Amino acid sequence: MRATAYTTVRPRYGIADVIGLLFRELLLMIVIFLVIFAIGTAAVLTLKRSYTATSTVYAGVGQEYVYQPRVGAIPTDRSGQPLEADAVAQSEAAILGSLEVKRRTVAALGADRILGPTAKGTPAEREVAALKVLDGGLGVGVTPGSAIISVAFKSDDAERAALILNAVVDQYLIQRRAVFRGQGSQAFADQREAFESELTSADEAYEAFLQSNNIGDFATAKATLAATYQTVFADALSVRAQLNQASQRLATLEAQLARQPAEVVLQQDLNISAQDQILQLRTERENLLARYTEDSQPVRDIDERIAGLQAYVATGTTVGPKEVRTGPSTIFTEIETTRINAAADRDALGARLAVLEGQLNQLRSRQADLTRLESTNATLMGNRDNLSAAVRDFQQRESQSRADSALVAAGADNVRVIARAEAPTRGSSLKMPLLAAVFLFAGFTALCVGLLRIFTRRGFTTPESTGRTLDLPVLAVAPVKAR
């Protein structure tokens, strides 16, 4: 007995076999095509004509797109490294198409005006539906390298499309002002108050430091002390030179005084009686001549006496001091007086020099104290200066932030609506493209169904497929016998 093995073999088809078998399923494919095409056509014909409202917005580079540090010096150049025009436009387009702008639009118009006659459901459901309508119908586009933003909204009603698009643009302007409005005014005020409190503490610490060291103003005290030291030092040098001069003068006066006598002859009377006697004898001789002759005895006696006295006077011993009066020397007194004054001047200069030396020592000690306190003063003063600068900086920033917020709220920005939306007069419809898509989809579905019928059929349907599948020649073909 011979054993028999069975196996399942999938038929192998060629292109001609597939085409031939598709013709066999042509009726089924036509029915499926017609059914799908009819359903799609009916759905497409129910679509309404849509109207697209458009608007354009100019978004230029403003102050909000220029970097400004929150802390530190405020830059004087406000145009440093701004964004490119297309980058600003993309940023503004993102704000325009944001969910917050759509929510503001729904809140401003109301869900019923956005949905139109199709509005139904609870208020929350209508709001969600209105957001979906805005999300699906709103289009925002930018052009590379341009600051123009194109906005469009599609709706089945022309008036409603223009109304909704204008509301979206208005709410965008409000939203961007809220976004770029300076929110740092209060923060700057808080920081300013904090720095003012720290500055008050620093002032108190610095004032206590100055009072504890008996200093009014450190810089003024140091400068005054240096100037005073220079003045006192110059005076000390001058007094020392004057003291040396006074000492040398006193020594000279004392040397001169030692060489001068304390007393001198004030008046001296001379003894000239011999000359007087000669004069008297001559007077008597003249009187005698009046009575006698020259060779008379009385005249010759007087002449002898006169000759004797003249001989005596001629010896030089007849004149001598008769009476001498002495007293203090005026030169000695003057030199003594000058010496006393010079000694007094020297002592005064010595006392003054001692005082100046003491002042110099005090000034040096005070300068050393100020030098020792200079680092502490610099630290405290630097802290006060930094805090004062920070307070001024935050005061300026607070004022600028407040003014900037007011300007932004008033609409002082670089965004302008070039063209507002108007109700479009011509609508557009997608019926023809959709009908073509339905036609293609119906034909593709019918083809897929025919191919599915071919490849799922059991048995051999054509001689070529049978020979190709069994790898055997087909010698004859018999018609299928009906059951």
Side-chain angles (χ1 to χ4, degrees):
M1 182 177 178
R2 187 171 60 182
T4 303
Y6 298 93
T7 182
T8 300
V9 179
R10 183 178 297 278
R12 299 172 61 185
Y13 298 106
I15 296 177
D17 298 334
V18 173
I19 295 174
L21 293 175
L22 285 176
F23 277 103
R24 292 184 183 182
E25 305 294 338
L26 186 59
L27 180 61
L28 176 63
M29 293 170 62
I30 291 174
V31 171
I32 293 175
F33 172 78
L34 292 177
V35 170
I36 295 177
F37 185 73
I39 295 173
T41 302
V44 169
L45 293 178
T46 58
L47 296 177
K48 297 181 180 180
R49 183 178 293 273
S50 61
Y51 297 89
T52 302
T54 59
S55 177
T56 54
V57 177
Y58 170 78
V61 179
Q63 181 179 347
E64 57 271 9
Y65 289 102
V66 179
Y67 171 73
Q68 296 182 11
R70 293 186 179 90
V71 180
I74 300 177
T76 57
D77 186 6
R78 297 302 181 104
S79 61
Q81 297 182 350
L83 295 178
E84 298 294 336
D86 51 356
V88 175
Q90 290 177 2
S91 176
E92 295 292 336
I95 299 176
L96 199 154
S98 63
L99 181 61
E100 184 62 27
V101 172
K102 297 173 184 177
R103 287 177 177 172
R104 285 178 174 270
T105 305
V106 173
L109 290 180
D112 295 338
R113 296 184 68 180
I114 295 176
L115 296 175
T118 61
K120 59 182 179 179
T122 63
E125 292 175 348
R126 291 198 300 271
E127 183 177 354
V128 173
L131 287 175
K132 290 181 179 179
V133 170
L134 288 178
D135 191 55
L138 182 64
V140 181
V142 295
T143 303
S146 175
I148 303 299
I149 303 175
S150 300
V151 193
F153 184 78
K154 184 183 295 184
S155 177
D156 56 359
D157 184 84
E159 296 292 338
R160 188 163 66 249
L163 177 65
I164 292 175
L165 183 56
N166 287 327
V168 169
V169 173
D170 292 339
Q171 295 304 316
Y172 152 70
L173 295 176
I174 297 174
Q175 174 63 15
R176 78 173 304 279
R177 291 168 189 168
V179 169
F180 292 112
R181 183 181 303 171
Q183 302 294 331
S185 298
Q186 186 60 39
F188 288 143
D190 295 340
Q191 287 297 319
R192 175 183 55 79
E193 293 174 357
F195 279 114
E196 286 178 350
S197 177
E198 294 182 9
L199 180 59
T200 302
S201 301
D203 288 338
E204 293 175 355
Y206 188 64
E207 186 66 24
F209 164 76
L210 294 179
Q211 291 181 358
S212 62
N213 293 280
N214 194 20
I215 301 173
D217 181 74
F218 191 88
T220 304
K222 189 174 181 180
T224 304
L225 191 63
T228 305
Y229 180 83
Q230 293 296 329
T231 302
V232 174
F233 186 75
D235 289 345
L237 293 179
S238 176
V239 170
R240 186 176 287 109
Q242 293 176 12
L243 180 61
N244 292 333
Q245 181 181 358
S247 299
Q248 185 62 38
R249 183 184 180 191
L250 181 61
T252 302
L253 289 173
E254 290 176 349
Q256 290 178 353
L257 191 62
R259 293 193 298 268
Q260 292 293 330
E263 292 183 353
V264 294
V265 177
L266 298 179
Q267 184 178 357
Q268 184 177 2
D269 295 334
L270 296 178
N271 187 5
I272 56 174
S273 59
Q275 286 83 350
D276 291 340
Q277 289 178 8
I278 291 173
L279 291 176
Q280 290 176 2
L281 289 175
R282 286 179 177 179
T283 302
E284 290 178 2
R285 181 178 180 278
E286 292 295 327
N287 290 329
L288 289 176
L289 288 177
R291 292 176 296 159
Y292 299 100
T293 59
E294 292 184 357
D295 49 351
S296 64
Q297 186 64 39
V299 174
R300 289 197 300 272
D301 293 336
I302 290 176
D303 289 337
E304 291 177 0
R305 292 175 62 186
I306 291 172
L309 288 174
Q310 287 179 346
Y312 176 66
V313 171
T315 59
T317 59
T318 59
V319 180
K322 179 181 180 182
E323 183 179 357
V324 179
R325 287 182 296 174
T326 63
S329 174
T330 56
I331 298 175
F332 182 89
T333 303
E334 183 178 356
I335 294 175
E336 179 65 16
T337 304
T338 306
R339 185 193 68 79
I340 294 172
N341 293 332
D345 292 340
R346 183 199 62 179
D347 295 339
L349 290 174
R352 184 181 177 187
L353 181 61
V355 172
L356 291 175
E357 291 290 346
Q359 291 179 351
L360 285 176
N361 292 331
Q362 293 178 356
L363 291 174
R364 292 191 189 97
S365 177
R366 187 59 176 169
Q367 283 182 330
D369 293 338
L370 292 183
T371 303
R372 176 175 52 83
L373 297 174
E374 187 171 7
S375 60
T376 304
N377 177 79
T379 301
L380 295 176
M381 194 67 181
N383 189 24
R384 291 179 66 252
D385 292 342
N386 292 334
L387 291 175
S388 299
V391 170
R392 289 194 300 270
D393 182 30
F394 278 103
Q395 283 177 343
Q396 183 179 2
R397 289 178 181 274
E398 181 183 357
S399 301
Q400 290 183 351
S401 178
R402 189 182 301 111
D404 184 68
S405 298
L407 291 174
V408 172
D413 49 29
N414 293 332
V415 175
R416 299 289 184 273
V417 179
I418 298 177
R420 298 188 68 85
E422 297 182 359
T425 57
R426 298 179 61 183
S428 61
S429 177
L430 297 178
K431 290 183 179 180
M432 294 304 296
L434 291 177
L435 285 176
V438 169
F439 180 82
L440 294 176
F441 179 73
F444 178 74
T445 304
L447 179 62
C448 290
V449 170
L451 293 175
L452 183 64
R453 287 277 299 172
I454 292 173
F455 289 108
T456 58
R457 178 177 294 172
R458 297 181 179 180
F460 300 105
T461 55
T462 61
E464 292 80 3
S465 176
T466 303
R468 189 180 297 106
T469 304
L470 299 178
D471 198 17
L472 295 174
V474 179
L475 301 178
V477 178
V480 179
K481 181 179 181 182
R483 294 184 179 180

